């Protein structure tokens, strides 16, 4: 049974295959070609955190593929009242064909996969955000025509986004430089993985150094969901880690900027840079839909033509 629990579990070939399927699904969608690759299938969407993009893109994506999606908010199900994940997994596996879950602990997502018998898709945990990074890689390839050999730079918190971008970039042949303050580094498991890639990965303190000649410049909020109470302290720690025009002047001339959204203008990114790169950022947001449709087809209908042909 194949899942998308984290990009560390996927090969570079898995990632490229899903990006190819996503490109085709985007082409079909743009050209009014409607193929019901998931006709009659159901996806449960468990949310223990807020969401705009993930919720809407999975729900609409499932509809467009001929299936149905159920929104399962933790506070309106027994999950919020402490029903063990082992039991939830075994019950939902009998009703559904796949589960997307957004939660805090990565261990909860892994436990769903271990105890259930249907594909599990990670829609964000504190550890990683693989669906977002697939959409990011899709967007980079659209703008740059390739991934291999490009330089990505991430400035800011060593959070779920930084973790997944490091893995996604290295697995697809990109190099990546990250700049983060002391105490806000990416997860040890990710640093261990990156060690095997030599100078294709560097972790620096100085954003100006990390962004040198970068083809893609990325940031994310300084306080992620669940860290709201530490927001002030974190804002102080991240002073100097903003993407602004001085930073962009050091990147490649044709560098693109990505942000998973929601963005906090004048914190991690200036309004000026955000608006100058709004085309890329909103294409990235749209690509959540196409990339996730590709993930669902890949995991939930691996015998379909579109999966076999790519
Ligand atoms: N980028 C992202 O995952 O957005 P949502 O939190 O709105 O789903
Ligand atoms: N790092 C952010 C990403 C939101 C899509 C968070 O976890 O809140």
């Amino acid at each position: 049974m194949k899942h998308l629990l984290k990009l560390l579990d996927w090969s570079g070939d898995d990632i490229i295959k899903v990006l190819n399927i996503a490109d085709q699904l985007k082409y079909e969608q743009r050209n009014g070609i409607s193929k019901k690759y998931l006709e009659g299938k159901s996806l449960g969407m468990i949310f223990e955190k807020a969401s705009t993009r993930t919720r809407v893109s999975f729900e609409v994506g499932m509809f467009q593929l001929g299936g149905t999606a159920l929104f399962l908010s933790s506070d309106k199900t027994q999950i919020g009242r402490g029903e063990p994940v082992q039991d939830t997994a075994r019950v939902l596996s009998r009703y559904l064909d796949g589960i997307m879950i957004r939660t805090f602990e990565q261990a909860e997502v892994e436990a769903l996969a271990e105890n259930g018998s249907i594909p599990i898709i990670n829609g964000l945990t504190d550890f990683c955000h693989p669906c977002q990074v697939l959409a990011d890689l899709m967007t980079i390839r659209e703008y740059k025509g390739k991934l291999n050999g490009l330089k990505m730079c991430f400035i800011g918190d060593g959070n779920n986004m930084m973790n997944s971008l490091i893995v996604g970039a290295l697995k697809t042949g990109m190099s990546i430089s990250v700049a983060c303050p002391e105490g806000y580094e990416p997860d040890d498991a990710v640093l261990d993985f990156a060690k095997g890639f030599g100078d294709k990965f560097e972790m620096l303190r100085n954003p100006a150094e990390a962004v040198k000649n970068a083809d893609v410049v990325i940031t994310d909020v300084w306080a992620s969901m669940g860290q709201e109470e530490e927001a002030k302290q974190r804002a102080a720690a991240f002073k100097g880690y903003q993407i602004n025009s001085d930073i962009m002047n050091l990147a490649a001339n044709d560098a693109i900027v990505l942000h998973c959204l929601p963005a906090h203008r004048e914190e991690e990114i200036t309004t000026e840079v955000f608006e100058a790169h709004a085309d890329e950022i909103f294409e990235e947001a749209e690509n959540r839909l196409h990339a996730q449709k590709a993930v669902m087809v890949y995991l939930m209908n691996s015998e379909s033509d579109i999966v076999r042909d790519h």
Side-chain angles (χ1 to χ4, degrees), residues 43-242:
L43 177 81
M45 306 188 300
I46 301 173
F47 281 95
E48 301 189 39
K49 288 177 175 172
S51 170
T52 298
R53 280 146 287 270
T54 306
R55 177 179 174 181
V56 176
S57 53
F58 265 105
E59 192 161 337
V60 169
M62 199 56 186
F63 170 75
Q64 290 175 354
L65 292 168
T68 190
L70 291 87
F71 175 66
L72 303 168
S73 158
S74 60
D75 64 339
K76 296 281 187 302
T77 57
Q78 301 290 2
I79 297 165
R81 297 182 60 246
E83 181 165 12
V85 65
Q86 294 88 334
D87 296 351
T88 304
R90 284 183 283 184
V91 171
L92 294 183
S93 291
R94 289 169 184 256
Y95 303 140
L96 301 167
D97 301 287
I99 295 174
M100 190 287 303
I101 176 165
R102 166 168 288 196
T103 188
F104 294 87
E105 299 283 329
Q106 179 69 18
E108 192 180 339
V109 179
E110 309 270 346
L112 261 188
E114 270 160 37
N115 292 282
S117 52
I118 54 176
I120 307 298
I121 301 170
N122 184 336
L124 180 148
T125 58
D126 292 347
F127 174 63
C128 64
H129 198 359
C131 290
Q132 179 68 53
V133 169
L134 290 172
D136 291 5
L137 294 171
M138 179 182 178
T139 310
I140 296 165
R141 220 168 57 151
E142 258 176 34
Y143 276 87
K144 299 289 178 192
K146 61 175 187 180
L147 295 171
N148 197 31
L150 295 179
K151 175 178 173 177
M152 181 188 283
C153 169
F154 184 99
I155 296 174
D157 189 17
N159 63 10
N160 42 16
M161 279 303 300
M162 192 193 277
N163 286 336
S164 286
L165 284 166
I166 292 170
V167 178
L170 293 174
K171 286 205 176 203
T172 55
M174 299 179 76
S175 63
I176 173 162
S177 298
V178 302
C180 57
E182 211 179 323
Y184 296 91
E185 291 85 3
D187 194 275
D188 283 345
V190 171
L191 292 176
D192 273 357
F193 166 79
K195 266 188 204 144
F197 290 82
D199 60 6
K200 284 196 145 192
F201 172 72
E202 53 178 5
M203 185 172 75
L204 303 167
R205 298 289 171 221
N206 184 354
E209 232 179 286
V211 79
K212 256 185 224 155
N213 300 321
D215 301 292
V216 187
V217 183
I218 312 185
T219 189
D220 184 19
V221 290
W222 292 336
S224 286
M225 289 180 275
Q227 298 173 329
E228 290 77 6
E229 282 179 10
E230 305 158 34
K232 255 198 171 159
Q233 170 203 330
R234 298 178 71 89
F238 286 104
K239 204 166 173 281
Y241 286 81
Q242 182 187 63

Side-chain angles (χ1 to χ4, degrees), residues 240-261:
Y241 286 81
Q242 182 187 63
I243 297 189
N244 51 37
S245 53
D246 290 343
I247 286 289
M248 289 310 298
N249 285 338
L250 300 168
N253 286 337
D254 58 352
I256 63 168
V257 173
L258 299 180
H259 191 308
C260 64
L261 303 175

